[in-house]
Amino acid sequence: MDRRAFLHKNAAVLAAPAAAITTDETVSRFANKKLPDTARSTAGLAPYSGPWGYAQAAHLLRRSLFGPTRTEIEGAASSSMQQVVDALLTAPAAPSPPVNVASTDASVPLGQPWVTQPFDQAVEGVRRSSLRAWWMGQMLNQSQSLAEKMTLFWHNHFVIELGDINDARYGYQYAALLRQQALGNIRQLAKDVTIDPAMLRYLNGNQSTATAPNENYGRELLELFTVGKGPLIGTGNYTNYTEDDVKAAARVLTGWRDNNQTISGYFTASRHDTGAKKFSAAFGSRTITARGDQEYKDLIDLIFDQPETARFLCRKLYRWFVYYVIDAATEQNVIQPMADLLIKSNYEVTPVLKSLLTSEHFYDPVNMGCVIKSPLDFTVTVCRQLQIAFPPATNAVAQYGMWDYLNSQTNLQQQYLGDPPNVAGWAAYYQTPQFYEIWINAVTLPRRNQFTDLMISTNGYSRNGAKLIIDPIALVQALPPAVASDPNKVIAELTKLMLPITLTSSQLEFLNDALLPGLPDFEWTQEWTAYVAAPTNATKKASVNTKLQALLRAIMGLAEYHLS
């Protein structure tokens, strides 16, 4: 498998006229025009019994966390795979809510939560920014748990857009629900999100009445959130549901509204369609009748009784954690067993994730280093792996300001936390044949490079009296002394941390030359030793710092750095 292919030029598009190239490109003109046909793994969900060391631990943590650190990877490598996965599947305590960091929100003191305050359109913008910043902070300060990666997964699955719902309090409650249920029961999460005020507002469920059922949520519930379409069998009708099923689901869901005083969904019987709702043969021709505010639960149960719902969900989990190509062997050996286990577990997601993350399939070399990092993963990884220091919680204004800055960077890279582009989520997880390649295009790749260049520069990024900057000397000082004084060992340690693929000898030579342009290896040993002996000497410090900046810039400029 050529994992660098996303940077290769496609001859079929090189001849395209210059006018076809736009500056707002979202899908690279060099991206796949068909799915890759490279042979995939035939391994299934049998427990992995191969070697367990740094490479396997790093692979597991790269897919499970945002930017695992050297300490986290080495700790995992020194434990057993089962111990690490069990820890990853342990939900952490719920975090404290976001706080006010804007002087314009006079109703809430600086540093205090705003999530239960009355809605105020005048400060909605700063509260929404606070929410996004807080969410970014959860990723940066994640525990060694899958909870944050799964919270983002559910956000991409049960989509809302903060900009559309226009109430940051609703957005916070939605985010808290996803985090609470991130490693829990999918069926229950589907029930809870159905009457969540953010979802009721986003997909117009709050407007749905017996005389005018709104079909938006019912349609997306079937098509995007649960069972999926399946092949088209007629106008508006699919193998897994029909247009009449959408209409019946909409009738079931009538009567629900959102209350912006209590920040909750509630049921109004007088607005509910009390008639019988009959579903097609795709759902066993079953009927939901006269259950009032409990009918939405019956609808979710009806959908989750369909085996295709489990398969649909497992395909999405697979594309999130493993790879986007699901060939016949993967469908048979991985997706179907995952779906069977999901059904057997009554839709508890943890047993399925444990089976996948401890499987032969997951650790097959073909599935390592084959995912292009999302903008969020890319940006948070830079910060966490390269140990960028952030302002403390005691200075919430500065801390949230830096988290807000990172959100602005991922937005430029075409992934804005809290606002997927539409109800289907980010296209990189569903749009065939490009999938992850969507993250890399003529707009986003320069933005990624500009961010890493700024972080490794002498200036970094300053705001509110604080600075974000990579300290390359601190990174190397954390290594054993015998490693830190050897240029090739330094390169080996940094590339092992930052890259999921072993480099070629010529690439390693290139990095050596970036560190020591035209100089012998002993030059680094002498300079580093001299610096360690006199760390306050500005000249000696600048000498090693400049060289390490050049090395890190070269590593982050490799195609492999965009892979996980």
Side-chain angles (χ1 to χ4, degrees):
M1 170 178 288
D2 184 359
R3 297 182 179 87
R4 297 171 57 91
F6 68 92
L7 288 185
H8 290 180
K9 295 182 178 179
N10 186 319
V13 295
L14 284 176
I21 305 172
T22 62
T23 56
D24 60 350
E25 178 179 90
T26 56
V27 178
S28 172
R29 60 195 188 101
F30 303 115
N32 282 332
K33 298 299 182 288
K34 63 183 183 66
L35 282 174
D37 54 10
T38 306
R40 301 296 304 153
S41 174
T42 59
L45 291 185
Y48 174 71
S49 58
W52 177 257
Y54 188 100
Q56 292 75 27
H59 171 60
L60 172 61
L61 295 189
R62 285 188 185 110
R63 299 294 174 83
S64 303
L65 306 177
F66 294 100
T69 65
R70 179 172 174 270
T71 300
E72 288 170 336
I73 296 172
E74 289 185 337
S78 65
S79 302
S80 71
M81 177 184 66
Q82 290 291 344
Q83 288 173 323
V84 177
V85 172
D86 285 344
L88 287 169
L89 293 172
T90 300
S96 300
V99 300
N100 175 39
V101 291
S103 59
T104 53
D105 192 351
S107 62
V108 184
L110 290 175
Q112 295 300 308
W114 47 261
V115 298
T116 59
Q117 294 296 310
F119 176 77
D120 183 348
Q121 187 64 61
V123 295
E124 169 59 20
V126 295
R127 289 180 179 177
R128 198 181 307 162
S129 294
S130 167
L131 174 58
R132 291 188 211 276
W134 169 84
W135 198 335
M136 173 64 73
Q138 303 313 307
M139 295 180 183
L140 288 164
N141 297 310
Q142 68 196 292
S143 65
Q144 197 164 324
S145 168
L146 262 170
E148 280 308 313
K149 220 42 176 311
M150 284 300 294
T151 298
L152 188 63
F153 171 83
W154 292 124
H155 175 41
N156 183 65
H157 183 74
F158 293 113
V159 173
I160 65 139
E161 298 175 58
L162 296 179
D164 282 12
I165 64 171
N166 191 43
D167 193 326
R169 304 170 310 157
Y170 281 26
Y172 167 70
Q173 182 159 304
Y174 160 83
L177 171 62
L178 299 187
R179 187 167 283 104
Q180 176 189 10
Q181 299 274 34
L183 296 171
N185 189 281
I186 306 176
R187 187 199 300 257
Q188 186 60 50
L189 177 56
K191 291 177 180 179
D192 293 342
V193 84
T194 296
I195 59 169
D196 181 80
M199 185 63 76
L200 286 170
R201 182 174 290 188
Y202 178 59
L203 288 178
N204 311 113
N206 59 354
Q207 302 170 16
S208 192
T209 66
T211 56
N214 189 293
E215 297 177 4
N216 284 357
Y217 184 75
R219 186 176 305 280
E220 308 308 356
L221 176 67
L222 294 170
E223 178 181 339
L224 300 176
F225 299 167
T226 56
V227 74
K229 288 180 176 180
L232 182 69
I233 58 175
T235 304
N237 296 333
Y238 300 89
T239 307
N240 298 335
Y241 69 85
T242 68
E243 190 66 19
D244 285 342
D245 291 325
V246 172
K247 296 180 186 301
R251 292 175 58 212
V252 166
L253 297 168
T254 53
W256 285 95
R257 309 175 77 179
D258 63 291
N259 185 322
N260 67 3
Q261 302 299 313
T262 61
I263 317 174
S264 63
Y266 70 99
F267 183 76
T268 302
S270 62
R271 292 163 60 99
H272 180 64
D273 183 333
T274 58
K277 295 88 177 177
K278 184 165 177 79
F279 289 81
S280 73
F283 297 95
S285 301
R286 288 162 59 181
T287 301
I288 293 176
T289 57
R291 291 251 295 155
D293 64 354
Q294 299 301 300
E295 287 185 20
Y296 80 97
K297 297 178 183 178
D298 296 338
L299 172 62
I300 299 299
D301 287 337
L302 174 72
I303 297 169
F304 275 73
D305 283 346
Q306 309 311 309
E308 184 55 35
T309 297
R311 288 189 286 268
F312 181 82
L313 291 166
C314 288
R315 292 185 195 109
K316 293 198 74 170
L317 287 167
Y318 183 88
R319 289 190 167 113
W320 190 261
F321 286 105
V322 186
Y323 193 54
Y324 64 81
V325 174
I326 300 177
D327 59 14
T330 300
E331 182 72 26
Q332 177 180 336
N333 299 335
V334 181
I335 301 302
Q336 187 59 55
M338 285 175 66
D340 291 343
L341 179 57
L342 187 58
I343 294 170
K344 181 180 178 181
S345 304
N346 192 29
Y347 284 92
E348 292 288 339
V349 74
T350 296
V352 176
L353 291 173
K354 183 171 185 177
S355 179
L356 178 64
L357 299 178
T358 59
S359 69
E360 290 180 341
H361 186 88
F362 184 75
Y363 294 98
D364 191 306
V366 76
N367 290 323
M368 301 173 78
C370 62
V371 171
I372 296 175
K373 295 173 189 170
S374 72
L376 281 165
D377 202 356
F378 177 85
T379 303
V380 175
T381 293
V382 171
C383 297
R384 296 192 80 246
Q385 287 194 337
L386 301 180
Q387 300 175 23
I388 295 176
F390 284 78
T394 52
N395 188 351
V397 172
Q399 184 185 63
Y400 273 60
M402 289 309 191
W403 294 344
D404 179 68
Y405 165 70
L406 294 185
N407 279 324
S408 73
Q409 293 304 297
T410 64
N411 188 25
L412 290 172
Q413 298 167 34
Q414 298 175 352
Q415 187 179 31
Y416 198 25
L417 184 57
D419 274 274
N422 54 58
V423 70
W426 287 290
Y429 300 106
Y430 68 83
Q431 185 167 309
T432 188
Q434 294 85 17
F435 286 95
Y436 311 146
E437 293 185 1
I438 288 171
W439 295 133
I440 302 292
N441 57 56
V443 175
T444 61
L445 184 58
R447 294 297 191 180
R448 290 182 178 217
N449 293 338
Q450 288 164 9
F451 175 69
T452 55
D453 283 349
L454 181 61
M455 290 299 102
I456 197 58
S457 71
T458 302
N459 295 325
Y461 174 78
S462 296
R463 183 172 178 177
N464 295 320
K467 178 185 283 190
L468 297 186
I469 193 168
I470 296 168
D471 183 348
I473 291 178
L475 279 175
V476 175
Q477 283 179 319
L479 301 173
V483 173
S485 61
D486 185 320
N488 295 309
K489 290 181 179 178
V490 168
I491 292 169
E493 283 295 324
L494 291 177
T495 54
K496 186 171 67 170
L497 169 66
M498 298 168 66
L499 308 175
I501 298 173
T502 302
L503 297 183
T504 65
S505 58
S506 61
Q507 286 176 308
L508 293 173
E509 289 173 7
F510 163 75
L511 294 178
N512 183 283
D513 193 56
L515 177 67
L516 297 166
L519 299 173
D521 288 356
F522 67 78
E523 184 72 23
W524 170 259
T525 304
Q526 291 178 348
E527 289 193 33
W528 181 257
T529 302
Y531 162 73
V532 171
T536 59
N537 184 296
T539 301
K540 297 183 190 310
K541 182 177 181 178
S543 177
V544 295
N545 192 66
T546 299
K547 288 179 170 60
L548 289 173
Q549 284 177 323
L551 172 62
L552 287 172
R553 188 176 292 109
I555 294 174
M556 292 187 288
L558 295 174
E560 287 82 354
Y561 189 60
H562 298 272
L563 301 177
S564 171

